[in-house]
Amino acid sequence: MTSIQNTIEACLFSSDIGAKLDAMKDLDDLLALGGAMPEFKGLARPTSDVRFPDQPPWVMPRKLKRRSMTDPEGLKVFLHAVAHIEFVAIHLALDAAYRFREVPEAFRRDWLGVAVEEARHFKAVVDRMAELSAAYGD
């Protein structure tokens, strides 16, 4: 079984969404085992190494066309925005646990739990988008 540190790094430093979600499932399994959380080895990689997928493109919100939530396309856009918020929240929670290594174990464990929960939210929103014939990154 892989380590918590390797699992976090697999999520933070890959641009593949599937690999990120697989890493989050592995992290959930590792956390469920309980026990003491091992210390991380080496220095934390810089935040500039964190990777995101090529899609969706990053744009300023004011450049997006306004749509009504009563319109099916507007609902897809709204769900995409929620999915993106959840996706970024995964990274923020992981980074808090990964980067702040000199904090109590409970701090790291709590943030890792938040990351797992955010991954569940992301998957739920993406699943709903798929029901509407949409995908994250469209």
Side-chain angles (χ1 to χ4, degrees), residues 72-99:
E73 289 304 309
L75 179 57
K76 290 177 189 178
V77 170
F78 172 75
L79 289 173
H80 194 278
V82 173
H84 190 65
I85 290 166
E86 299 296 344
F87 190 72
V88 172
I90 295 167
H91 292 80
L92 291 171
L94 286 178
D95 193 67
Y98 177 74
R99 195 146 315 281

Side-chain angles (χ1 to χ4, degrees), residues 72-130:
E73 289 304 309
L75 179 57
K76 290 177 189 178
V77 170
F78 172 75
L79 289 173
H80 194 278
V82 173
H84 190 65
I85 290 166
E86 299 296 344
F87 190 72
V88 172
I90 295 167
H91 292 80
L92 291 171
L94 286 178
D95 193 67
Y98 177 74
R99 195 146 315 281
F100 300 106
R101 297 174 177 215
E102 302 301 321
V103 297
E105 178 182 320
F107 176 91
R108 288 185 292 145
R109 188 175 296 280
D110 284 351
W111 278 113
L112 294 174
V114 168
V116 167
E117 199 60 33
E118 298 299 346
R120 286 186 189 122
H121 300 164
F122 174 77
K123 179 142 181 15
V125 175
V126 168
D127 288 349
R128 177 65 179 124
M129 289 172 65

Side-chain angles (χ1 to χ4, degrees), residues 21-100:
L21 292 178
D22 288 346
M24 295 309 301
K25 173 69 173 105
D26 291 345
L27 181 60
D28 192 17
D29 293 344
L30 287 167
L31 291 174
L33 293 174
M37 185 168 296
E39 294 295 320
F40 293 155
K41 294 179 171 70
L43 296 174
R45 289 175 58 180
T47 56
S48 59
D49 285 355
V50 173
R51 295 289 166 248
F52 292 93
D54 292 334
Q55 295 294 327
W58 294 70
V59 296
M60 295 299 292
R62 69 178 171 270
K63 292 190 176 197
L64 296 173
K65 180 179 167 185
R66 294 190 65 111
R67 299 182 188 211
S68 169
M69 291 255 308
T70 60
D71 171 48
E73 289 304 309
L75 179 57
K76 290 177 189 178
V77 170
F78 172 75
L79 289 173
H80 194 278
V82 173
H84 190 65
I85 290 166
E86 299 296 344
F87 190 72
V88 172
I90 295 167
H91 292 80
L92 291 171
L94 286 178
D95 193 67
Y98 177 74
R99 195 146 315 281
F100 300 106

